[in-house]
Amino acid sequence: MDKIMELQDVGKVMTTGGTNFPILSQVNLTFYKGEYCAIVGNSGSGKSTLLYLLGALDRPTSGTIKIDNVDVSQMSSQSLAKLRNEKIGFVFQFHYILPEFTALENVILPMIVAGTLSEKKRQERAAMLLGTLGLSDRMDYYPAQLSGGQLQRVAIARALANQPLLVLADEPTGNLDSRNSELVFDYFRKLNEEFGQTFIIVTHNTSFVKDCDRIITLADGRVVSDAAAGLCLRERGDKMP
Amino acid sequence: MYLYIAWRQIIFRRRQSIASIFSIALGVGLFIMMSSMQQGFEEDFTNRVISVTPHVQITAERVRPVPDMGREQYDITNVLHVQAFDKIEIINGAAYLQNQLNTMEDVVAVGTNYTGQGLITYGNRDIAIVVRGIDPEKEEKLNGFSGKLKLRHQDSLNLISNAIILGNGVAKTLQASIGDTVTLVTDSGNQDLYRVVDIYQSGITAFDNKTVFVLLKNSKALFGADGPNGINIKIKDPYKAEAFAANISDMTGLNVKNWISENSNIRAELYRRRWINQFIVGTIFLVAGFGIANIMLMNVMSKRRDIAIMQAFGVSPQSIDMIYLIQGCILGAFGAFLGCLLGAALNIGLENIPVSFNAQLTREGFPVAWNSRIFFQGYFMGIVISIAASFFPAKKAAAILPAEVIRRG
């Protein structure tokens, strides 16, 4: 399998009011193309921080992160922005849809930033993505006219706009009811299978975790287990009361 | 892309955008109004001064002695007596000088005059005045003489012999009106009767209260002079009067006055006022600038999440910076355009406010200069101020760390 990301001895320390708080330490992970992977752990275990590091939204305090064989730890903020635009799609707990733009325009924006497609192609692709997510009839709506579940689906379409290598999701269903959560995970799986994109998802949703190929468990900023789904759950079951 | 995002944000935040545009418009509009008014006052003043004071005036007074031929030719080293004698000063060779001046490129018009002190009496009233002997035709070319006359008749001095035109203030003090006969008495005791043919009003009280006009030949006869004691010159560019006067003075050895030096104290006052106005306008712009900076900063703060997500999907901090600077630029361009319209409206308003500037002259509205340069300056400054105002908020936006914002939700 193609290696798309590699973390070596990655550590992250946050400084608040002169005190250092280690968030992550000694994280060594490798991700491969097409993986469908969950990151789990208690709150404060460093899941989100790890996800931001994976997405080049933040820089590690120590260690190296290679995305597509390029070390991103020392890149300029401009190159990081380009890298995020081309290779990474984000879905967060909150949808972060820009209120000034319609659903379709929100999906088109990352493609405008990339500047590779013609306007017509961009429109077509955005419409196709929104269609896949069941929003064909809501494309020209403004965010204020859409429900939470619909907005989250627009956010997913936006994350996929530039055909990223890697889709990172941080509690993507945290603000959604169970029906919408199920819908979102169904879409993720479908997209993973259809487009072969790698998904790394931070979640508490156990029914979803069961469905993953690989589960990484964090505790106190360290990776405590990293295994295929079935195995991992058993381990977790063994360890957790 | 920058423009697209910037524009959509401006449209979306309509109320804040309109507030920003209005504050810039107000700054630009007031700038245009104040500057136009200031320039209008200066031009009005200059025009009025120029209408009564010649650009350049050659007087009979010597500043350099006539070259003493004797000294060089006969090696005379001692002059035993310098005897003062009562002689009427005139400009020798005035006709020749006038011809010479007329050939000069900068010269528009030249006119000779004889001006003397005297007393005017009418009934039991008398006042000290300045008698100006002029050539009406040349005076017309020099300063549009007839435009300041009540009857506006250009040739009234030539209509009858011994005609006189009284300054408005003189006529009022004497209570004389057109058709009355007055007596002029010179300081040496000569006197003659004159008939009032018109009333002169320049708008400068000090001038109108002290001056009467007669024909040049009459004043020469009255004062017993056989030549003029003044040559008035109108030049193409009145603001070059100082240099021109110095040049003529060098050539002739005569004292040559110019309107700029003669009115330097008033001009200094105008200059001071210009600075005060600029200070006021600067303050208005500063306040407008802070207003915009404040609105933009609030905008940035409330859009932290949007900025974070834009960074997440690949908009670089530099581009974020650019987006907000462009917003400043767009708001500035609209505000400055509106400001120009506002400035024009204020100018029109000012022109139509009836005001009285001095007791003698009431005119409709403030003098306002319509100068495209002022509008361009205002427009340019409006844009510069709003870009400057968006500079700090833009930097603030670019400095947002997406991970921080998203972590906090």
Side-chain angles (χ1 to χ4, degrees), chain B residues 51-101:
Chain B
S51 73
V52 293
T53 316
H55 296 175
V56 176
Q57 185 181 16
I58 303 175
T59 67
E61 187 190 334
R62 291 217 150 268
V63 288
R64 198 178 66 211
V66 183
D68 192 339
M69 308 289 253
R71 277 173 206 261
E72 280 165 28
Q73 281 177 8
Y74 305 108
D75 197 24
I76 301 169
T77 50
N78 292 322
V79 177
L80 293 176
H81 302 287
V82 176
Q83 194 174 356
F85 60 96
D86 194 15
K87 182 175 169 262
I88 291 165
E89 292 267 358
I90 60 163
I91 299 172
N92 289 312
Y96 174 74
L97 197 55
Q98 211 177 335
N99 284 337
Q100 288 293 307
L101 288 167

Side-chain angles (χ1 to χ4, degrees), chain B residues 66 85 88 174 265 271 289 291 297 301 310 326 330 336 367 370 399:
Chain B
V66 183
F85 60 96
I88 291 165
L174 292 178
N265 52 343
Y271 189 68
L297 202 61
M301 288 335 244
M310 282 200 272
I326 286 174
I330 293 174
W370 288 91

Side-chain angles (χ1 to χ4, degrees), chain B residues 69-309:
Chain B
M69 308 289 253
R71 277 173 206 261
E72 280 165 28
Q73 281 177 8
Y74 305 108
D75 197 24
I76 301 169
T77 50
N78 292 322
V79 177
L80 293 176
H81 302 287
V82 176
Q83 194 174 356
F85 60 96
D86 194 15
K87 182 175 169 262
I88 291 165
E89 292 267 358
I90 60 163
I91 299 172
N92 289 312
Y96 174 74
L97 197 55
Q98 211 177 335
N99 284 337
Q100 288 293 307
L101 288 167
N102 272 324
T103 63
M104 291 175 80
E105 204 187 321
D106 291 336
V107 174
V108 177
V110 182
T112 53
N113 63 71
Y114 190 93
T115 303
Q117 311 272 345
L119 206 66
I120 189 166
T121 62
Y122 176 65
N124 61 351
R125 291 164 187 268
D126 51 54
I127 45 173
I129 40 96
V130 172
V131 182
R132 307 198 87 186
I134 57 164
D135 177 344
E137 197 189 324
K138 297 215 170 110
E139 206 67 13
E140 189 64 33
K141 280 187 196 155
L142 280 167
N143 57 36
F145 184 69
S146 64
K148 281 160 279 185
L149 297 178
K150 224 171 214 173
L151 302 179
R152 292 178 186 269
H153 196 294
Q154 196 186 325
D155 216 23
S156 48
L157 281 178
N158 283 320
L159 285 179
I160 51 167
S161 58
N162 281 15
I164 189 167
I165 295 173
L166 303 183
N168 189 37
V170 178
K172 270 197 182 144
T173 314
L174 292 178
Q175 294 187 346
S177 46
I178 294 168
D180 292 339
T181 304
V182 294
T183 311
L184 274 186
V185 186
T186 69
D187 46 5
S188 52
N190 298 339
Q191 57 174 299
D192 213 342
L193 291 173
Y194 286 87
R195 173 160 297 172
V196 180
V197 293
D198 216 334
I199 306 291
Y200 176 91
Q201 186 177 16
S202 68
I204 293 187
T205 318
F207 192 85
D208 295 340
N209 281 348
K210 281 194 85 71
T211 314
V212 301
F213 296 92
V214 296
L215 282 181
L216 175 58
K217 61 172 189 190
N218 289 349
S219 82
K220 283 202 292 194
L222 188 68
F223 289 97
D226 47 8
N229 66 352
I231 299 177
N232 290 349
I233 305 161
K234 182 180 186 173
I235 56 177
K236 272 185 193 149
D237 182 359
Y239 292 93
K240 286 182 181 159
E242 265 178 316
F244 185 84
N247 191 17
I248 300 293
S249 182
D250 277 351
M251 275 164 52
T252 58
L254 296 170
N255 182 12
V256 181
K257 294 176 178 172
N258 66 80
W259 73 276
I260 296 174
S261 320
E262 293 292 296
N263 295 287
S264 57
N265 52 343
I266 306 178
R267 286 175 55 81
E269 182 54 40
L270 281 175
Y271 189 68
R272 227 183 338 267
R273 199 159 61 177
R274 192 190 295 175
W275 273 102
I276 292 170
N277 275 359
Q278 259 155 18
F279 181 75
I280 294 170
V281 170
T283 314
I284 295 167
F285 266 120
L286 205 67
V287 172
F290 272 111
I292 294 164
N294 203 8
I295 291 169
M296 292 278 282
L297 202 61
M298 271 164 51
N299 184 3
V300 167
M301 288 335 244
S302 70
K303 291 196 96 49
R304 286 168 61 86
R305 285 173 158 197
D306 293 1
I307 291 164
I309 195 67

Side-chain angles (χ1 to χ4, degrees), chain B residues 7-20:
Chain B
W7 178 245
R8 291 300 281 267
Q9 286 201 350
I10 286 175
I11 300 275
F12 191 76
R13 300 177 68 84
R14 211 168 295 138
R15 215 174 302 160
Q16 286 92 331
S17 301
I18 288 173
S20 303

Side-chain angles (χ1 to χ4, degrees), chain A residues 14 49 52 57-58 77-78 81 84-85 90 92 94 96 98-102 105 109-110 112-113 142 158, chain B residues 1 4-5 8-9 12 303 305-306 309-318 402-407 409:
Chain A
M14 299 252 184
T49 305
Y52 302 149
L57 263 184
D58 206 353
S77 54
Q78 202 150 15
R84 288 195 296 267
N85 178 244
F90 288 97
F92 299 103
F94 182 73
Y96 295 106
L98 303 181
E100 300 92 343
F101 300 89
T102 63
E105 286 165 342
L109 272 174
I112 295 178
V113 176
Y142 279 89
R158 181 177 62 189
Chain B
M1 171 194 65
Y4 176 61
I5 296 176
R8 291 300 281 267
Q9 286 201 350
F12 191 76
K303 291 196 96 49
R305 285 173 158 197
D306 293 1
I309 195 67
M310 282 200 272
Q311 293 205 32
F313 67 63
V315 181
S316 67
Q318 290 83 343
E404 287 284 307
V405 176
I406 293 167
R407 180 177 294 118

